[in-house]
Amino acid sequence: MLRKVSKSLGLALLLGFTSQIVQVVFLRDLLMVFHGNELSIGLILAAWMAWVGAGSYLGTFISTRYARTRILLLGSALGLMVTLPITIVLIRELRGIFMIPPAAQLSLADIALASVLLMAPACIFIGMHFVYVVKLWRDEDQSEDSSAAGKTYVSEALGNAIGGIVFTTFLIHALNPLQTVVAAAIVMLSVIVIAQRTTRPGPAVIYVCLGLAAILLGLMAPLDDWAHTRQWQHFLPNHELLETLPSKYGSITVVQYDDQFSFYQSGQLVFSTAGSGEEDPGWEAQDSVVFAHLAMVQHKDPQQVLLVGGGLGGTLGEITKYPATAIDYVELDELLLQAARPYLPSATLDALADPRVRMLHGDARLYVKTANRQYDLIIVDLPDPATAVLNRYYTQEFFTEAASLLGPQGVLVLHTSSTPQLHRTAVANRNATVYHTLRSVFDHVVVAGDRVLLYIASQDARNPNVDPVVLRRRYDELGIVTDGFAGSHFHTWLEGTSVRRVNWAARHHGRTPDAHLTGPGPHPLQPGSLAEQTLEEANLPPVNESFFVNSDFHPIGYFYTLMLWDDITRPSDRSALPAMLHVKPWWILPAAAVLLVLMLGICLGAHKSRRNQPLWQRLGIRVAVLTTVFTTGISTMMLQVTLLFAFQSVYGFVYELVGLITAFFMLGLALGAWLAHKYLVHKHSLTTLAYIQMIMAVVSLLLWVGLPAIAPLRSPALLFVLFGAVTAAAGLINGVDFPVAAGCYGAVHRQPERSAGVIYAVELFGACISAALASTVVVPVFGVGAAFLLAAGVSFTACILLVIARGWSYG
């Protein structure tokens, strides 16, 4: 008996191990195709949960009609092994399948549809596999209760955690994505084959299996290279793929078009360069050159300069032409510099070798938060906040941290892409948000530009300065000589009427309750001078901060940037993003009211119909338990996705650590399920289930209050430990909930496999909906706090339902 239980335990662990590795690999590859857009994380997880739930339900249907469980296990493992490499190849062919124009981004509808289609085959097999393991364990235990489901749930969760840790610490560095998923499938299939045998396999069998595995993994290397090439042929058809490098911050890709070299990270363009043979800045670097000079003359004598990003694109080379004493250049990924160095022009290489330049590799947010130096000028030369990672440099928290490093006359300069006069709603919303967010920290903020918008912020009234005469005089007095810029550029960039109009638009937009929906109002033909606008601004209505102040825990600027790029790259499509701004937080209340009225109606029916009271009792208990399981999926996934977003905002990146973060959740889930299975005597108690829901609601409220207190901590290690502990705690509550809910439902259903499959599927369905809502609407539009409140609300609703139903409790 012990040997049989050991086999079932191993199969459950292996299921969790394999499914976790597959999930993380799919997530990372899809993020590449979706340009690192974290909104897609929730949609990917939602599709994953939905199809695993569907597979669980399908497995329940099959297992009740076919008794040979071991054959079913073998079939699902073979199906998984075949579908995994095919899915990876299809992910990289996605742009061609959807016929996305070159360099355009996938719309939210494209991302959702692609996730649903691509996740289906593998996830269905994983869901079926769970039910088969439950049935096998129950048969071996000869049990009639839900204990096998609880043990499988615990073991799978533990396998999930192990898979996340092994992937993060070993597989990510040793194997490519195709080799990783195939290796996991080979291990699963081998263990199932060995478990079928009544005797220990001989050396010949083992050698044959190892040989076949080595051949198969060897074939995956050229297939992975071919699939990468195909992916970039669809994205940039006229470019040659030179190399792809795995980085913990996101895969780095180098492509070439004629004499131009471009560098992408997680599908996002970082910079382009004319190559090492060019002495003068080409058109690729022209925007960086202009930006560098417009920024450097904002301070009369910038001796201490901090540059965040952008140095490899030409900005650093122009900054070194000024007589600054020290230039600190922070670049996140050291591997990016290594990959770019052979292609960089000599001017950039000379700048990197300049003794005044101190190269700092690491997270710039962390550096700004912990630095003890004071700067005259901080220049942020980063792409638009199109991802949660980039959005961290356009938030109120970052601006506050940057302001603390500036001297009394210090200036912060950054830029975003734009359109003339900010006429369209998406660009007006995003750029007004950046302005109002800066203005919430700095006393003086001025914007300028057209296709690219320059933001200049300072606490000194004499700064910022957009007078082209003054700035040209400063430039000429310094005697700067460069082939990419001339004094006349100041008059071109800072033309008076254009500057007044764009400042009027940025200052006035966002001050009405529906400004985020209606876009900017009509502009005056001749706005007043900047001095007059500054005086007028004090009398304008207050800013609608909920939609026009960007923060780490309310990344609305990130959402507007996605709207903008959707508007620019896919103008003919009907985007779902603007519609999300119409969502109201209170819409959840009618759904909760309907559930409560339904339960009260069942209660009243049971009271009036004494003859059929047992039928009403069973109905009431089923409704209460299934609703609780559904809301548990909603609340726990809401917490998991929200914590992932919060971790991204505070810590800096999740690309490498996504497996480890998920492992924390699964470790907590496994521990919770084990504790429930081990120590809860009455696993069919509605009262216990109600207490669990109340605890979940309280934890969500504590996160709502406590997470903002954790965020300002300066120690990355402490932040990681705290986020890991909080994530594990959320998983622990979820883990305790499952065996109790399965016990409650099984007590009235009395079909163990069907009960386990139904509970598992309903929880995953709730998690599916929650993942989609959390990442696309709740967190970006309403903020992290709203997500925690929503999780608390659904848990509290489930608690009330259980309190109503517990009068029918059966033990």
Side-chain angles (χ1 to χ4, degrees):
M1 177 65 69
L2 181 61
R3 181 173 62 83
K4 290 182 180 179
V5 171
S6 176
K7 285 184 178 180
S8 298
L9 173 63
L11 291 172
L13 285 170
L14 198 56
L15 170 63
F17 178 85
T18 303
S19 63
Q20 185 60 46
I21 288 174
V22 171
Q23 184 188 85
V24 175
V25 171
F26 282 3
L27 189 64
R28 286 163 58 94
D29 253 58
L30 283 168
L31 276 174
M32 279 286 297
V33 179
F34 299 155
H35 304 279
N37 175 4
E38 291 90 351
L39 284 186
S40 66
I41 291 177
L43 294 174
I44 296 166
L45 292 177
W48 177 278
M49 300 295 175
W51 284 118
V52 171
S56 174
Y57 194 82
L58 180 61
T60 300
F61 178 82
I62 295 173
S63 64
T64 56
R65 288 161 175 78
Y66 188 77
R68 301 186 65 179
T69 309
R70 295 181 185 276
I71 299 299
L72 293 176
L73 278 170
L74 184 62
S76 62
L78 283 169
L80 194 62
M81 186 170 181
V82 172
T83 57
L84 289 179
I86 295 175
T87 302
I88 295 291
V89 173
L90 288 176
I91 287 173
R92 297 177 186 176
E93 287 282 340
L94 193 60
R95 297 184 64 90
I97 295 171
F98 276 69
M99 294 184 290
I100 306 298
Q105 295 194 20
L106 279 79
S107 69
L108 200 62
D110 292 334
I111 292 173
L113 180 59
S115 299
V116 168
L117 294 177
L118 291 169
M119 295 292 103
C123 291
I124 287 175
F125 284 121
I126 289 171
M128 294 166 63
H129 208 92
F130 176 84
V131 177
Y132 300 156
V133 174
V134 171
K135 184 179 180 182
L136 182 65
W137 209 328
R138 190 179 73 86
D139 291 343
E140 292 176 343
D141 283 356
Q142 296 181 356
S143 63
E144 296 297 330
D145 58 17
S146 62
S147 59
K151 288 190 288 187
T152 304
Y153 192 76
V154 173
S155 304
E156 186 203 20
L158 183 59
N160 284 141
I162 295 171
I165 294 170
V166 171
F167 178 83
T168 304
T169 58
F170 173 70
L171 293 177
I172 191 176
H173 307 291
L175 301 175
N176 65 44
L178 275 168
Q179 289 174 326
T180 300
V181 296
V182 169
I186 289 172
V187 173
M188 171 183 275
L189 186 61
S190 301
V191 171
I192 291 173
V193 170
I194 292 172
Q196 305 275 2
R197 299 174 60 90
T198 57
T199 60
R200 183 175 299 178
V205 175
I206 295 175
Y207 292 149
V208 169
C209 290
L210 290 175
L212 290 174
I215 293 172
L216 194 56
L217 289 177
L219 292 174
M220 292 301 106
L223 181 59
D224 187 78
D225 293 338
W226 175 83
H228 265 305
T229 302
R230 290 287 299 169
Q231 177 180 351
W232 284 92
Q233 284 176 348
H234 291 307
F235 183 49
L236 298 171
N238 297 320
H239 291 63
E240 178 186 358
L241 177 64
L242 299 181
E243 57 181 324
T244 299
L245 303 172
S247 167
K248 63 182 181 180
Y249 302 111
S251 181
I252 297 171
T253 304
V254 186
V255 296
Q256 181 180 4
Y257 178 74
D258 289 339
D259 295 329
Q260 180 197 57
F261 299 91
S262 299
F263 298 81
Y264 289 79
Q265 193 154 31
S266 295
Q268 288 276 349
L269 177 64
V270 181
F271 71 95
S272 296
T273 179
S276 57
E278 298 291 333
E279 295 295 329
D280 301 325
W283 65 265
E284 302 90 348
Q286 191 58 42
D287 285 343
S288 296
V289 171
V290 173
F291 172 66
H293 291 287
L294 287 172
M296 287 300 293
V297 295
Q298 289 303 315
H299 193 283
K300 293 180 180 179
D301 185 23
Q303 292 298 307
Q304 303 289 325
V305 179
L306 172 63
L307 173 63
V308 176
L312 303 181
T315 306
L316 181 64
E318 300 304 310
I319 291 175
T320 55
K321 295 176 180 179
Y322 287 77
T325 304
I327 303 166
D328 288 346
Y329 169 36
V330 186
E331 184 63 64
L332 176 65
D333 198 346
E334 187 173 5
L335 187 61
L336 177 64
L337 175 59
Q338 295 175 7
R341 191 174 284 276
Y343 310 102
L344 293 175
S346 58
T348 302
L349 293 174
D350 291 343
L352 290 169
D354 193 306
R356 298 171 299 162
V357 175
R358 185 169 66 125
M359 190 76 182
L360 302 168
H361 288 294
D363 181 43
R365 269 296 296 270
L366 179 62
Y367 175 77
V368 170
K369 182 185 290 187
T370 58
N372 293 317
R373 303 187 64 174
Q374 192 173 81
Y375 293 97
D376 301 311
L377 190 60
I378 297 178
I379 301 173
V380 180
D381 188 11
L382 293 171
D384 284 356
T387 66
V389 173
L390 292 169
N391 187 71
R392 301 164 65 240
Y393 298 96
Y394 297 84
T395 63
Q396 193 175 45
E397 292 84 353
F398 173 70
F399 295 153
T400 301
E401 293 160 359
S404 68
L405 296 186
L406 290 171
Q409 297 182 10
V411 183
L412 171 68
V413 185
L414 62 148
H415 63 83
T416 63
S417 61
S418 187
T419 59
Q421 308 302 323
L422 310 184
H423 284 310
R424 302 181 70 90
T425 300
V427 69
N429 284 357
R430 200 279 308 280
N431 291 346
T433 296
V434 176
Y435 173 83
H436 292 308
T437 306
L438 278 166
R439 190 66 179 81
S440 70
V441 176
F442 291 92
D443 293 335
H444 306 280
V445 180
V446 172
V447 294
D450 193 343
R451 184 176 56 84
V452 176
L453 205 61
L454 189 75
Y455 302 81
I456 311 159
S458 178
Q459 305 292 16
D460 192 316
R462 293 166 295 182
N463 290 317
N465 197 315
V466 289
D467 185 336
V469 176
V470 173
L471 298 182
R472 180 170 185 174
R473 184 169 63 247
R474 289 181 186 175
Y475 178 81
D476 291 340
E477 287 174 354
L478 291 171
I480 307 298
V481 177
T482 178
D483 293 320
F485 190 84
S488 59
H489 278 89
F490 291 110
H491 295 274
T492 303
W493 260 78
L494 304 175
E495 192 275 322
T497 302
S498 175
V499 169
R500 291 196 301 272
R501 286 178 178 174
V502 77
N503 275 275
W504 190 96
R507 296 180 189 207
H508 282 73
H509 187 49
R511 296 181 182 273
T512 59
D514 61 346
H516 60 292
L517 302 175
T518 59
H523 295 49
L525 293 177
Q526 292 293 332
S529 67
L530 294 188
E532 292 171 342
Q533 290 187 32
T534 300
L535 292 175
E536 181 189 6
E537 187 174 13
N539 299 318
L540 292 175
V543 175
N544 183 358
E545 295 188 2
S546 297
F547 289 99
F548 288 95
V549 173
N550 191 34
S551 69
D552 286 343
F553 288 168
H554 190 184
I556 191 68
Y558 156 45
F559 185 82
Y560 290 148
T561 302
L562 293 177
M563 283 181 58
L564 170 60
W565 282 107
D566 208 34
D567 196 23
I568 292 174
T569 61
R570 310 292 297 281
S572 61
D573 289 351
R574 292 182 60 85
S575 174
L577 293 175
M580 294 178 184
L581 293 174
H582 291 270
V583 175
K584 305 296 181 185
W586 57 264
W587 287 2
I588 191 66
L589 297 178
V594 167
L595 287 173
L596 293 175
V597 169
L598 175 63
M599 182 56 68
L600 290 172
I602 294 172
C603 181
L604 182 62
H607 178 72
K608 290 187 174 182
S609 179
R610 294 186 179 274
R611 180 176 299 178
N612 296 321
Q613 194 174 50
L615 178 63
W616 284 99
Q617 289 175 345
R618 289 195 298 272
L619 176 60
I621 291 168
R622 286 187 182 185
V623 169
V625 173
L626 289 179
T627 301
T628 298
V629 172
F630 179 73
T631 58
T632 298
I634 289 178
S635 56
T636 52
M637 183 52 63
M638 185 71 66
L639 293 181
Q640 187 178 7
V641 172
T642 304
L643 287 169
L644 197 66
F645 266 81
F647 182 83
Q648 179 84 303
S649 295
V650 174
Y651 198 84
F653 60 93
V654 298
Y655 187 80
E656 181 191 33
L657 299 177
V658 64
L660 197 56
I661 296 167
T662 307
F664 285 139
F665 182 85
M666 302 313 298
L667 278 173
L669 188 145
L671 177 60
W674 178 81
L675 289 173
H677 176 74
K678 184 79 172 175
Y679 294 107
L680 284 180
V681 178
H682 301 292
K683 298 183 181 66
H684 54 274
S685 170
L686 293 180
T687 302
T688 302
L689 197 56
Y691 278 128
I692 295 171
Q693 299 306 306
M694 181 57 70
I695 292 172
M696 192 173 296
V698 170
V699 168
S700 300
L701 291 175
L702 289 175
L703 287 172
W704 174 55
V705 174
L707 202 60
I710 296 176
L713 294 175
R714 294 188 171 193
S715 169
L718 181 58
L719 278 171
F720 186 77
V721 169
L722 289 173
F723 268 96
V726 169
T727 304
L732 187 144
I733 299 170
N734 192 187
V736 173
D737 184 88
F738 181 83
V740 178
C744 292
Y745 190 77
V748 294
H749 198 276
R750 303 192 185 281
Q751 293 183 29
E753 283 87 16
R754 187 172 177 81
S755 295
V758 168
I759 293 295
Y760 194 56
V762 170
E763 182 181 304
L764 288 173
F765 182 57
C768 160
I769 293 176
S770 179
L773 287 176
S775 67
T776 58
V777 181
V778 180
V779 173
V781 177
F782 301 111
V784 167
F788 290 139
L789 288 176
L790 179 59
V794 296
S795 297
F796 187 67
T797 301
C799 180
I800 295 175
L801 289 176
L802 290 166
V803 168
I804 296 172
R806 72 177 180 174
W808 303 317
S809 183
Y810 28 69

